[in-house]
Amino acid sequence: MRNKKITIALAGNPNSGKSTIFNNLTGAHQHVGNYPGVTVEKKEGKASFKDYEINVVDLPGTYSLSAYSEDEIVARDFIIKEKPDLIVHIVDSSNLERNLYLATQFMELEIPLVLAMNMSDIAEKKGQDMDYTKLSELLGVAIVPTIGNKNIGTKELLETITKVYEGKIKTKTAHISYGPEIREEMDKLEKIVKKDKALVDQYPWRWLIVKMLENDSSVLDIVGKSSIAQEAISQNEKSRHHLHLHFGDIPETIIAGRRYGFISDVCTEALKPSIKKRHDLSDRIDKVILNRILGIPIFVLVMYAIFKFTFTFSEPVVGWLEKFFEWLSEIAATYIPEGLFQSFVVDGLIGGVGGVLGFFPLVLFMFFAIAFFEDSGYMARAAFVMDKLMSKFGLHGKSFLPMMISTNGCAVPGIMATRTLENKKDRLITMMVTPFMICGAKLPIFALFIGAFFPAKYGANIMFLMYVLSVVIAFASAWLLKKFVFKGETAHFVMELPPYRIPTLKGLLLKMWERGWMYIRKAGTIILLLSIIIWAGFTFPQNTSLEEKGMSEEETAAVQLEQSYAGKAGKIIEPLVRPIGLDGRSGIALIAGIAAKEVVVSTLGTIYSLGEVDPEEPESLREKMQADHSWNPLKAVAFLIFCLIYLPCIAATAVFYRESGSQIKWLLFLIFWTTVLAWGSSFIVYQGGRLLGFGG
Amino acid sequence: MHKLTQARTGLNLIFISVEGGRGAVQRLTDMGLIPGERLKVLHNSGDGPVTVLIKGAKVALGHGLAAKIIVEEE
């Protein structure tokens, strides 16, 4: 049997059930990547049918193919540049007219189109009686009814795809009639555009001229670089001006109106509408969830549920992993002779891999919980409920979740959770401020310092103030970032509220795995590499003469630490941390804290010659620090504020780098922003405190 | 003619125009909101976002955007 390979693109509106159809078509044979240079995910999978191997590319869900969002540009560039053999457009049949708007745009691209009329059961329940044959005739495209969540129609869809590809189903895509006035202007542009043979070989001419009239910036760029640039652009300006005068509205609105008009005509002919149910279950649920009094408590409850689910269920798994890596370390320590190589394997390699995998259960459980609320339709409402409050600070309603996941939790899944935000600017701002929250790893530092320098009765109050401070810093940063860095038109809050649905387990698991695997694939290697670099920084240069001088193991460790590259770096930055009340030793601890925040505590342990200090039980270290007169409560507060704000740990930084589109500029900005903010805040608190007579 | 933010819950309206940038117009167009289109206010608390029914789909509009949308009662 010959294996014929074809590539199809899967397109459709958000909430059209596209990913379910994708899963049905490809099963487990899928992989996720990114489109080059953008944060948009590229999902691909393989389907086998008869003697075909079908490569299915899942395009981002879009409402249109304009040039306004990254998703739309990606979807459209893929179709125009990669020229798939066929486009399968997943249509939510229960929301026909709006969904067909996208179809009218595909129809201009001159690539064979198949419409999968998904959720046909829901449409029927709504009382929609559809004549598919008629609809197919009117649109001039092949149509297959499907019910994605019941896996109905998958085989028929594959059958139709191959038949359309083979030419056994002949279709002639209908052209929308834009009316005589627009048609006249299109004719003028057509004559000009067709003079450039290379241009119309590469792009469908009809699509080019319609998009020109719609003032589409990227099409105007394409035409602007062609040989007929001047003539085409000046004709287009004349035509647009003429149409604007004639209709009294901008041509893009008129063209969109004609498309909707065409759809409306088609639907009237192919649909036999019966009695429509006015109030469905979704409406009743929305009355509660969108209620102005109940909305926010419900929202907080759901967010708390996600948080609780993530950390409660992942805890035992994280525990097993920790035990496993401890066991592995012991094995390595037994079989590898003591020395540099053992240290590399145990502390560098196993420690690094353990660090990467330690986050994995968290990420998986969180994405499962998020997927549940996304697929059920709640997340869209959540954004809506919080939008009023969050938008005051330049954040999005959905920014709340990453910040919540990070508080007492972890910024790594927190940053990953920004994937639920569609707008790039909102995502970047949220990613930048999420690490400011007090994550679980920062807690031991706070416990140590508060325990050492403040009476027990104030402990809880100071901790509470630190939480308040973290929220204030995060929101103030978001506001500043929006005002000065991510300026421009705020993303208008327009969001479809899909009907509530019961998610399928398969869908949830696939979504969880796909996003979780992204963490390992994209951030895992970077985290491992950086862990090893940090290990090397603390291990070299080796000083073997120490033990001979009769020093104890703990003292040796302290001297070794101070003489290592990282220790020397701590000394070098001493003049920089002196104005915020710290010395070289705190400097070393802060540098070590970049590996992981709780390492600040264990490093201080080493500095105070205590050997290994368990961050969870630092009594001995607390006493040592209390006895050290170079510390005082004011310095402790300055140190804590610095810890609260400065550079996130390497795992969070690596995830940030990957999730922000792997652009050095955002990474540098994060480093600069967090460092300056941390130093400035500590400086104000420390120097201000001194002026007021606290400390000494 | 008045702003969408002033429309009571349950009202049937006709979309007239939006005083927004190109991006806002485009987003609304994609959702099916073109001049002359019918919409129904599903939920409007007056000072928050507004949910409307456009072409059978529920759409939430931020307060800022809803304040720029001019509608007419049907």
Side-chain angles (χ1 to χ4, degrees), chain B residues 19-33:
Chain B
E19 302 157 8
R22 280 268 294 160
V25 174
Q26 184 70 46
R27 287 287 281 158
L28 292 177
T29 304
D30 295 346
M31 291 295 182
L33 214 52

Side-chain angles (χ1 to χ4, degrees), chain A residues 317-591:
Chain A
V317 186
V318 173
W320 298 331
L321 277 175
E322 266 173 21
K323 284 234 168 61
F324 173 73
F325 281 104
E326 265 171 40
W327 174 78
L328 212 59
S329 299
E330 273 168 37
I331 297 278
T334 321
Y335 288 98
I336 303 169
E338 206 170 315
L340 198 57
F341 185 64
Q342 190 203 67
S343 167
F344 170 74
V345 172
V346 173
D347 298 327
L349 211 54
I350 299 179
V353 173
V356 173
L357 290 181
F359 292 110
F360 194 42
L362 283 179
V363 172
L364 284 181
F365 278 99
M366 178 192 73
F367 277 135
F368 185 86
I370 292 180
F372 177 83
F373 286 106
E374 269 181 354
D375 288 6
S376 66
Y378 181 75
M379 274 306 182
R381 272 92 177 166
F384 172 85
V385 168
M386 287 306 282
D387 189 60
K388 202 171 128 195
L389 178 70
M390 300 299 268
S391 64
K392 288 203 172 86
F393 300 98
L395 288 165
H396 190 271
K398 284 186 182 173
S399 309
F400 192 89
L401 180 69
M403 293 166 85
M404 175 131 183
I405 293 282
S406 193
T407 307
N408 282 0
C410 178
V412 170
I415 292 170
M416 297 290 290
T418 60
R419 285 178 172 261
T420 52
L421 286 133
E422 286 91 13
N423 183 282
K424 198 181 169 185
K425 282 181 185 177
D426 292 340
R427 250 197 102 181
L428 274 169
I429 294 178
T430 312
M431 273 193 250
M432 293 254 182
V433 304
T434 295
F436 290 141
M437 311 314 285
I438 298 179
C439 69
K442 285 181 191 169
L443 283 175
I445 314 176
F446 286 78
L448 171 71
F449 277 78
I450 292 173
F453 299 107
F454 295 96
K457 58 177 173 175
Y458 297 131
N461 291 341
I462 292 171
M463 198 59 226
F464 180 72
L465 278 179
M466 285 294 166
Y467 277 114
V468 172
L469 186 66
S470 70
V471 174
V472 169
I473 299 241
F475 277 76
S477 289
W479 186 80
L480 285 170
L481 287 170
K482 185 79 180 189
K483 191 138 179 98
F484 298 109
V485 184
F486 301 95
K487 279 177 291 198
E489 194 186 13
T490 18
H492 287 289
F493 189 91
V494 183
M495 185 177 253
E496 191 185 358
L497 305 178
Y500 290 98
R501 278 180 210 129
I502 296 168
T504 61
L505 186 64
K506 188 182 163 196
L508 295 183
L509 289 175
L510 274 167
K511 213 168 188 177
M512 169 188 94
W513 182 253
E514 172 194 298
R515 288 169 167 181
W517 182 243
M518 196 73 121
Y519 157 75
I520 296 281
R521 207 174 59 85
K522 296 175 82 186
T525 43
I526 297 189
I527 298 173
L528 182 60
L529 189 70
L530 289 174
S531 308
I532 291 172
I533 291 173
I534 289 185
W535 166 82
F538 279 94
T539 312
F540 296 102
Q542 284 274 303
N543 197 334
T544 44
S545 63
L546 290 173
E547 276 168 52
E548 291 154 22
K549 288 175 191 159
M551 288 166 119
S552 72
E553 203 181 315
E554 287 79 13
E555 286 168 328
T556 311
V559 176
Q560 166 65 40
L561 173 62
E562 273 182 44
Q563 289 179 352
S564 70
Y565 291 122
K568 283 177 188 145
K571 278 274 183 301
I572 293 168
I573 63 163
E574 190 163 356
L576 292 175
V577 294
R578 209 163 268 288
I580 57 173
L582 306 179
D583 57 22
R585 290 178 306 173
S586 335
I588 301 175
L590 288 174
I591 290 174

Side-chain angles (χ1 to χ4, degrees), chain A residues 636-658:
Chain A
V637 168
F639 185 81
L640 288 185
I641 291 177
F642 196 89
C643 282
L644 178 74
I645 308 169
Y646 88 119
L647 197 63
C649 69
I650 44 163
T653 309
V655 171
F656 172 87
Y657 172 68
R658 285 305 206 173

Side-chain angles (χ1 to χ4, degrees), chain A residues 22-23 25-31 44-48 55-56 510:
Chain A
F22 178 72
N23 293 340
L25 286 175
T26 61
H29 308 283
Q30 22 179 293
H31 70 102
E44 273 182 273
K46 292 227 181 319
S48 303
N55 183 31
V56 187
L510 274 167

Side-chain angles (χ1 to χ4, degrees), chain A residues 610-678:
Chain A
L610 292 169
E612 292 259 319
V613 169
D614 182 356
E616 308 287 328
E617 292 155 6
E619 282 75 19
S620 56
L621 178 57
R622 187 187 301 159
E623 284 158 22
K624 273 267 185 179
M625 291 182 67
Q626 277 169 336
D628 182 349
H629 290 290
S630 64
W631 283 105
N632 62 41
L634 183 62
K635 284 182 181 179
V637 168
F639 185 81
L640 288 185
I641 291 177
F642 196 89
C643 282
L644 178 74
I645 308 169
Y646 88 119
L647 197 63
C649 69
I650 44 163
T653 309
V655 171
F656 172 87
Y657 172 68
R658 285 305 206 173
E659 293 293 303
S660 60
S662 302
Q663 288 181 44
I664 290 288
K665 69 172 176 180
W666 294 127
L667 181 66
L668 291 177
F669 184 79
L670 178 81
I671 295 170
F672 169 80
W673 177 254
T674 52
T675 311
V676 167
L677 204 62

